[in-house]
Amino acid sequence: MKLAVVGGGSTYTPELIDGFARLRDTLPVSELVLIDPATERLELIGGLARRIFARQGHPGLVTTTSDLDAGVDGADAVLLQLRIGGQAARLQDETWPLECGCVGQETTGAGGLAKALRTVPVVLDIAERVRRANPDAWIIDFTNPVGIVTRALLRAGHKAVGLCNVAIGLQRKFAALLDLAPADIHLDHVGLNHLTWELGVRRGGPGGEDLLPGLLAAHGEAVAADLRLPRAVLDRLGVVPSYYLRYFYSHDEVVRELGTKPSRAAEVAAMEQELLALYGDPALDEKPALLAKRGGAFYSEAAVDLAASLLGDGAGGGPAVQVVNTYNNGTLPFLPDDAVVEVQACVDGSGVVPLAVPELDPLYAGLISHVTAYEDLALDAALRGGRERVFRALLAHPLVGQFDLAEGLTDRLLAHNKEHLSWA
């Protein structure tokens, strides 16, 4: 089995490599290709990847290349983990929205739109080249904003599934608090990428005993602290929102906070320099502890499980229920079928089928509908360009929604992203 990772030069890649090495019975990879134009970083990470495989006795071959077409040729699955513009672009996404009193964040709000505009055309070009090389290959997208990028891929007819680590992170957190194995925890996870709620925490699988009321009663403070939301929010809602809901439920507080401390992009950029120095040590043969602070916890486990299920008989995972980003197809009846939702789904070699979800309270359905409308306009802007399309997407976003504000944000977005937008 051959897997390819586009964006293999990311400092986060050793986390993925560690998962492939530890879970080789689930996903028996014979060749892993790391693809990235940043050749110097790629060689550092490729060397560490080989040492991790060797330390854990993995027989697979790890190769590196800056040639995308050669790298994806013959791949059974291609994982996308791109950041167009690097941490420098992320720093801008987190900075200029604050000038207008809006949250600066890389996937939510105006910064998230900027990232979508930079990313969608590049991802579609990569996917088309994957299709030409191997039309049967699955594309697993971890590139943010995952919902918009996955929708672009699916609309273009690609065999694509979106993946986020929010659900698996909460599953692991809840399992530890409840003293259960993660496999015993099933989440009633509903919404859009980075806009989700856990409506239930079930023992054993769909339809099992709902442990959520007891979890909140016994561990509400710990859960709220992880989400950086007041305990009262969880008690009043009776559900667990994703930590990205903080940007909606506490927007003004977050804006004030972001104005008083270094950006996350600056922190990550400094961390990346430390990580690259560590990766260059020929004695290092495991992921360093510092990597845990980089973000993306449990992504490797989620990616391995998803790839194993999608590849069916070629892997050891088999059919499974997993949280993915895929076409709505009636799952949330108030959304169009071609909206991309993030829900539990049955995944196997034939693809992805979302599971039924409970009827949603208008409190959640309304915000989901609002953000879906924004995502429609954001994707249109990413595909066709144009200042007016950018403005319309910003005006539609629930964290913007004012004419003058959308005008000012549009000007700043275009000014900071000209080098990445051919039409700007």
Side-chain angles (χ1 to χ4, degrees):
M1 179 187 302
K2 177 179 178 178
L3 296 186
V5 179
V6 180
S10 167
T11 54
Y12 191 71
T13 298
E15 168 67 28
L16 192 59
I17 300 300
D18 178 74
F20 290 151
R22 288 185 294 102
L23 302 172
R24 57 185 175 272
D25 291 339
T26 300
L27 189 67
V29 177
S30 57
E31 181 180 0
L32 177 65
V33 185
L34 306 181
I35 306 167
D36 204 293
T39 54
E40 186 174 344
R41 288 170 58 123
L42 186 60
E43 288 311 310
L44 280 179
I45 291 164
L48 176 57
R50 295 182 191 98
R51 296 193 296 273
I52 291 173
F53 267 32
R55 177 190 174 107
Q56 300 200 29
H58 194 297
L61 174 68
V62 177
T63 61
T64 61
T65 182
S66 58
D67 185 334
L68 175 70
D69 296 311
V72 301
D73 187 34
D76 297 287
V78 178
L79 283 71
L80 305 182
Q81 51 173 40
L82 312 177
R83 184 180 294 281
I84 307 304
Q87 293 299 328
R90 176 180 181 173
L91 178 61
Q92 296 297 328
D93 294 345
E94 294 179 355
T95 302
W96 54 263
L98 295 174
E99 298 171 4
C100 296
C102 292
V103 67
Q105 211 277 330
E106 63 163 338
T107 65
T108 297
L113 175 60
K115 188 169 190 181
L117 297 178
R118 294 192 304 267
T119 303
V120 166
V122 176
V123 165
L124 289 177
D125 176 67
I126 291 169
E128 191 56 42
R129 292 161 72 178
V130 170
R131 179 155 54 189
R132 288 199 300 264
N134 183 5
D136 293 326
W138 279 100
I139 296 176
I140 298 174
D141 178 59
F142 192 63
T143 297
N144 281 317
V146 168
I148 295 173
V149 173
T150 302
R151 191 171 186 184
L153 288 166
L154 290 172
R155 278 183 51 171
H158 297 290
K159 291 178 61 176
V161 184
L163 179 64
C164 181
N165 70 314
V166 167
I168 193 172
L170 288 172
Q171 180 203 41
R172 297 296 199 272
K173 175 69 176 180
F174 297 160
L177 291 172
L178 295 168
D179 196 25
L180 294 171
D184 292 334
I185 296 294
H186 172 91
L187 301 180
D188 290 341
H189 181 97
V190 180
L192 310 177
N193 180 241
H194 291 182
L195 193 85
T196 52
W197 296 262
E198 310 308 326
L199 305 183
V201 177
R202 301 191 179 277
R203 187 197 300 266
E209 176 190 3
D210 187 5
L211 305 177
L212 181 56
L215 173 71
L216 290 178
H219 304 288
E221 289 291 346
V223 175
D226 273 1
L227 303 175
R228 301 186 66 192
L229 284 169
R231 164 76 183 268
V233 172
L234 275 63
D235 291 339
R236 292 183 69 176
L237 295 180
V239 304
V240 178
S242 154
Y243 49 79
Y244 287 91
L245 266 297
R246 182 171 186 254
Y247 300 118
F248 294 82
Y249 292 161
S250 301
H251 177 271
D252 293 352
E253 178 186 342
V254 172
V255 169
R256 288 191 295 270
E257 174 190 299
L258 292 174
T260 63
K261 66 177 188 178
S263 70
R264 175 62 177 165
E267 294 175 353
V268 171
M271 195 182 305
E272 286 195 334
Q273 294 307 307
E274 293 184 59
L275 286 169
L276 289 170
L278 291 171
Y279 296 166
D281 179 357
L284 183 68
D285 58 3
E286 58 185 344
K287 64 178 182 180
L290 178 62
L291 188 56
K293 299 180 181 179
R294 173 68 177 78
F298 306 113
Y299 164 45
S300 59
E301 283 92 338
V304 167
D305 289 344
L306 179 55
S309 294
L310 289 172
L311 297 177
D313 292 340
V321 173
Q322 296 166 35
V323 173
V324 295
N325 285 259
T326 191
Y327 269 152
N328 178 48
N329 284 338
T331 307
L332 299 181
F334 52 88
L335 294 184
D337 284 348
D338 68 348
V340 164
V341 294
E342 185 172 292
V343 294
Q344 293 274 9
C346 182
V347 183
D348 61 21
S350 63
V352 176
V353 179
L355 301 184
V357 301
E359 182 178 355
L360 284 186
D361 188 307
L363 181 62
Y364 314 124
L367 185 53
I368 290 170
S369 296
H370 196 161
V371 175
T372 298
Y374 151 74
E375 291 190 347
D376 289 345
L377 295 168
L379 181 55
D380 186 44
L383 293 173
R384 297 200 289 163
R387 185 189 189 282
E388 186 64 16
R389 293 188 181 94
V390 174
F391 168 79
R392 284 165 54 82
L394 286 168
L395 187 62
H397 200 291
L399 297 184
V400 180
Q402 299 177 61
F403 192 92
D404 289 344
L405 194 54
E407 285 278 22
L409 288 167
T410 299
D411 289 339
R412 286 167 172 80
L413 186 155
L414 296 178
H416 286 287
N417 288 275
K418 283 184 177 180
E419 65 180 295
H420 301 293
L421 306 177
S422 61
W423 48 267

